Amino acid sequence: MSATVRFAPSPTGYIHIGNARTALFNWLLARRAGGRFILRLDDTDRARSTDAFAAAIAEDLAWLGVRPDQVVRQSDRFGRYDAVKADLVTKGLLYPAYETAEELEYGRRRRRARGLPPVYDRAALRLTADDRARLEAEGRQPHWRFLLPNFAADPFQPERREVHWDDLCRGPQTVDLGSLSDPVLIRADGTYLYTLPSVIDDLDLGVTHVIRGEDHVTNTGVQIAIFEALGGPVPAFGHHNLLTDASGEGLSKRTGALSLRSLREKGLEPEAVAALAVGIGTSHAVEPVASLDDLAAGFDPAAASRSAARFDPADLDHLNARTVHALPFERAAPRLQALGIPPDPAFWSAVAGNCATFAEASLWWRVVTGEGLTPIIAEEDRAFLGDAARLLPPEPFDADTFRAWTGALKDATGRKGRALFMPLRLALTGLDHGPEMAALLPLVGRAETLRRLAA
Ligand code: GLU
């Protein structure tokens, strides 16, 4: 199977972890199939879209490890949309309607009162050319509706018309076009809603699979009808469950909540963000991964559950820590260097397990060098630490030095357990927790150890 997929955000804000889920579902599907990934910027809303957000989206995706094969902007394609519009109008599939929002609301209320579904009654289809000229002379501009194929011969007698697809995430789906209003594709100010441009782009770009949030399920019924009206192949569709924040609220690009940018600034690993964005709310356990390729290997869009998934930042912190703990030295080395830490495998293996974020390596490096470190020495431990200094083995130090040292110290002082180990840790690291002392000791070295014991 070869696949062409697209991720289609509107550049109206920073993308959040829910958008990352959509991007990654598509990316992983393409990755598994050896296919193409298109970043499509849905910027038909010129007032709210900005170049800065478009650039930020590409940057945030790159941070995540998602590199598009192609970038398309809808705002570059208005000429194409206008041509398709003209064609649909000629075929009678796109018609002008003039009702105001209030008139439409009134119509819906009347239909509800009569026990009818509150859908648009297609009154505009009855307008003559003269009626339209009169309305336009009054200053009304038309919006344009797509005539849904939900009737046999008479559009005023809509009937049940099911659209089916086998959803990549949700299994068999049905939307009844008979229960929907003819969708508005072009607003009265001439701007396109996303519905039509999206279908035109998917056709022109040869998109084979569309995965997006489940808020688009009804749209898909409508868009399948538009694909068919345009004579094109209908792509496979998948609709994944949405993410909410910890309080159950939906995520929004506008609020900036849980933006990839903020997660990156918190120092989180992109692999951890990706693993959680994909794995949360699925039947699979979320495990740390070393790369998106690892994630692709176990990816199954059908594993997404039906209900919304609640995103808890604590889960991400936890997964991030596990991701850092498992980071191999080759990957850590350039990053240590970037932090000004000499890349030493012994250092990384000593501290990796104690870094909740990669940046915490700096904290442990200061423990090694002693920079800004204040040994903690209780008065009652002074004599004991004096014994420790006296019994400290000669260099070279290795992984066994600490055991040999504390063994001798135990024999000499009778101390054991916490009373033996904690004063050494407090004096040598200035902290009551941290990496194995056996691993730290060779890094700190003999002279510096003696200095801290006597501080
Ligand atoms: N711009 C649309 C959105 O962000 C794209 C939906 C789609 O993938 O078709 O909701």
Side-chain angles (χ1 to χ4, degrees):
M1 176 186 72
S2 169
T4 297
V5 302
R6 82 314 191 268
F7 169 56
S10 43
T12 54
Y14 294 121
I15 50 174
H16 52 60
I17 187 143
N19 302 127
R21 181 178 182 76
T22 309
L24 285 164
F25 268 52
N26 284 287
W27 169 259
L28 297 175
L29 186 119
R31 204 51 183 235
R32 288 193 60 167
R36 302 178 68 243
F37 178 97
I38 299 167
L39 169 60
R40 189 184 82 199
L41 295 161
D42 282 5
D43 58 352
T44 55
D45 182 347
R46 301 305 293 147
R48 286 178 43 227
S49 303
T50 72
D51 286 345
F53 282 132
I57 287 171
E59 204 179 289
D60 292 347
L61 287 177
W63 174 74
L64 205 56
V66 170
R67 288 183 179 77
D69 298 296
Q70 189 181 354
V71 180
V72 179
R73 281 172 180 265
Q74 291 196 323
S75 57
D76 288 337
R77 293 175 42 80
F78 286 128
R80 172 77 179 126
Y81 307 151
D82 289 345
V84 174
K85 172 193 171 186
D87 185 48
L88 288 173
V89 171
T90 307
K91 291 181 172 142
L93 294 175
L94 190 66
Y95 62 92
Y98 295 82
E99 293 87 350
T100 62
E102 296 73 39
E103 286 164 351
L104 290 170
E105 179 52 31
Y106 177 70
R108 280 192 290 269
R109 255 185 294 154
R110 265 193 26 202
R111 286 178 67 89
R112 263 195 222 100
R114 288 163 51 207
L116 297 169
V119 294
Y120 179 59
D121 62 4
R122 293 179 164 154
L125 276 185
R126 298 186 198 272
L127 297 175
T128 63
D130 283 350
D131 294 333
R132 290 202 294 271
R134 183 176 41 76
L135 287 163
E136 288 181 25
E138 281 171 13
R140 293 210 193 194
Q141 288 302 316
H143 51 272
W144 295 81
R145 288 186 185 264
F146 177 68
L147 185 64
L148 286 173
N150 58 7
F151 55 92
D154 179 0
F156 299 105
Q157 299 288 327
E159 51 193 41
R160 192 169 176 85
R161 195 59 69 89
E162 291 182 352
V163 175
H164 301 280
W165 72 93
D166 193 9
D167 198 282
L168 298 165
C169 304
R170 298 156 61 92
Q173 298 292 300
T174 302
V175 168
D176 171 23
L177 297 182
S179 67
L180 301 179
S181 298
D182 286 341
V184 175
L185 300 187
I186 302 168
R187 299 184 188 87
D189 65 3
T191 59
Y192 287 88
L193 283 103
Y194 113 96
T195 318
L196 176 64
S198 178
V199 173
I200 299 172
D201 293 343
D202 288 343
L203 283 171
D204 289 355
L205 298 167
V207 169
T208 57
H209 296 74
V210 173
I211 305 188
R212 52 191 181 183
E214 65 187 1
D215 48 336
H216 283 289
V217 167
T218 307
N219 273 342
T220 295
V222 168
Q223 287 186 321
I224 287 176
I226 299 177
F227 274 103
E228 284 169 353
L230 298 182
V234 178
F237 281 96
H239 298 84
H240 62 71
N241 52 342
L242 299 177
L243 301 191
T244 70
D245 66 15
S247 64
E249 285 291 309
L251 305 181
S252 158
K253 264 207 245 77
R254 254 167 283 177
T255 61
L258 292 171
S259 68
L260 290 193
R261 201 147 278 240
S262 67
L263 300 175
R264 177 170 120 196
E265 279 158 11
K266 260 184 81 179
L268 297 171
E269 301 294 305
E271 292 81 6
V273 173
L276 195 62
V278 170
I280 190 175
T282 71
S283 54
H284 294 171
V286 182
E287 295 294 341
V289 293
S291 70
L292 293 190
D293 284 338
D294 288 357
L295 214 48
F299 175 64
D300 174 12
S305 52
R306 288 302 182 85
S307 47
R310 203 175 278 244
F311 176 85
D312 182 348
D315 291 343
L316 182 54
D317 290 341
H318 185 63
L319 186 65
N320 192 74
R322 292 174 66 203
T323 305
V324 176
H325 300 170
L327 195 69
F329 174 69
E330 311 78 73
R331 299 270 308 277
R335 295 175 64 184
L336 291 172
Q337 217 145 18
L339 292 176
I341 302 170
D344 170 4
F347 170 72
W348 183 241
S349 88
V351 307
N354 288 81
C355 293
T357 62
F358 190 85
E360 285 181 11
S362 290
L363 192 143
W364 300 121
W365 179 243
R366 286 200 297 277
V367 165
V368 168
T369 62
E371 184 200 325
L373 180 148
T374 314
I376 299 175
I377 296 179
E379 263 328 297
E380 67 269 25
D381 289 328
R382 273 210 184 274
F384 168 74
L385 293 173
D387 291 338
R390 201 165 39 77
L391 291 170
L392 186 63
E395 281 182 319
F397 283 0
D398 63 22
D400 287 329
T401 305
F402 186 73
R403 199 171 41 83
W405 182 32
T406 50
L409 203 45
K410 179 179 171 188
D411 291 345
T413 64
R415 287 201 189 203
K416 53 186 195 297
R418 197 181 153 81
L420 175 67
F421 294 110
M422 189 51 79
L424 296 175
R425 180 177 284 286
L426 290 170
L428 293 186
T429 69
L431 295 166
D432 63 1
H433 65 280
E436 291 289 337
M437 292 298 297
L440 284 179
L441 191 64
L443 296 167
V444 174
R446 193 165 197 279
E448 178 63 15
T449 300
L450 289 175
R451 192 186 68 74
R452 293 182 200 177
L453 290 172

